[in-house]
Amino acid sequence: MSFVEPGQFDMILRLRGRGISNTNVLRAMEKIPRSRFVPHDYVSQSYEERDLPIECGQVILAPLTIAMLLQTLDVRKEHKVLHIGTGSGYMAALLARLSKRVYTIERYKTLIDSAELPLRKYATNSVVRHGDGRYGWKGQAPFERIVLSVSTRLAPSALIDQMVDGGHMVCVIDDHLCKVDKSGGKTTETKILPLKLPKIEPGKAQAL
């Protein structure tokens, strides 16, 4: 029987109570310890329902927010996933458990350096790139699933172009969680529910 950290079981129960029903998502969040991706000073708050600060003025999103993004994304084991906004690496690690391979992009080199060790342990099928997430990862396209950990005013056209036909992207557009489906070269945008995320930032940065 695998070890479950204090607070982790309560987190899973809380997520179930808030409408997270995808067993693969819940199992991934049970297996990947969030505490390994938060700064030392916040380890005791790892499983609380709140965003936690990380370097470069960024945050690790609250468990429910991440679970909603993943449940909406509907990842399968055969999928190749593009993830925008690596941050602490926690969501990339969850995606790695859910999919065949994850390509994750982060604009802050400092965050990539911090996430390197836990990703090496919990997400061996992930690759991290230092770059501007708005333009995706053309050299590894196409992707069955794309997810953004940041909000945007419009669904980035470069990311839509990098989706397979029949794939979909999950992102927050104008403070609404949205699913963007691609079929026959056309896209359909569906609003799921209101949700606020940090806004996407242009370019790439070494550190603050």
Side-chain angles (χ1 to χ4, degrees), residues 7-77:
Q8 200 170 7
F9 185 67
D10 289 340
M11 178 190 73
I12 298 299
L13 288 178
R14 185 174 68 243
L15 293 174
R16 286 184 182 277
R18 296 290 296 274
I20 303 303
S21 57
N22 186 307
T23 55
N24 291 330
V25 170
L26 292 168
R27 192 175 298 116
M29 296 184 79
E30 182 181 318
K31 297 294 184 182
I32 304 293
R34 192 169 185 254
S35 62
R36 302 298 192 271
F37 295 86
V38 304
H40 177 74
D41 291 347
Y42 293 92
V43 168
S44 64
Q45 302 172 47
S46 295
Y47 300 103
E48 293 181 7
E49 194 52 59
R50 56 176 295 231
D51 296 348
L52 293 175
I54 56 176
E55 294 179 283
C56 302
Q58 305 304 299
V59 298
I60 175 172
L61 298 173
L64 180 60
T65 302
I66 291 177
M68 287 192 297
L69 290 168
L70 293 177
Q71 180 161 280
T72 306
L73 192 63
D74 187 27
V75 185
R76 300 171 195 164
K77 264 297 181 185

Side-chain angles (χ1 to χ4, degrees), residues 100-180:
K100 180 180 179 180
R101 196 158 184 82
V102 178
Y103 294 86
T104 178
I105 303 175
E106 174 54 57
R107 74 182 300 263
Y108 290 109
K109 182 65 166 59
T110 300
L111 294 181
I112 293 175
D113 293 342
S114 297
E116 184 180 6
L117 189 61
L119 283 176
R120 195 184 302 152
K121 179 173 182 178
Y122 295 103
T124 56
N125 57 330
S126 68
V127 185
V128 186
R129 179 182 183 182
H130 181 215
D132 188 335
R134 297 174 304 164
Y135 302 110
W137 199 324
K138 193 173 182 180
Q140 295 297 338
F143 302 94
E144 282 81 21
R145 297 288 185 268
I146 299 177
V147 60
L148 284 71
S149 295
V150 287
S151 67
T152 181
R153 191 174 60 84
L154 298 169
S157 59
L159 301 186
I160 292 173
D161 290 343
Q162 292 174 31
M163 272 197 297
V164 301
D165 198 62
H168 66 249
M169 173 167 59
V170 170
C171 53
V172 171
I173 302 173
D174 283 339
D175 296 333
H176 277 84
L177 175 62
C178 297
K179 186 173 76 163
V180 181

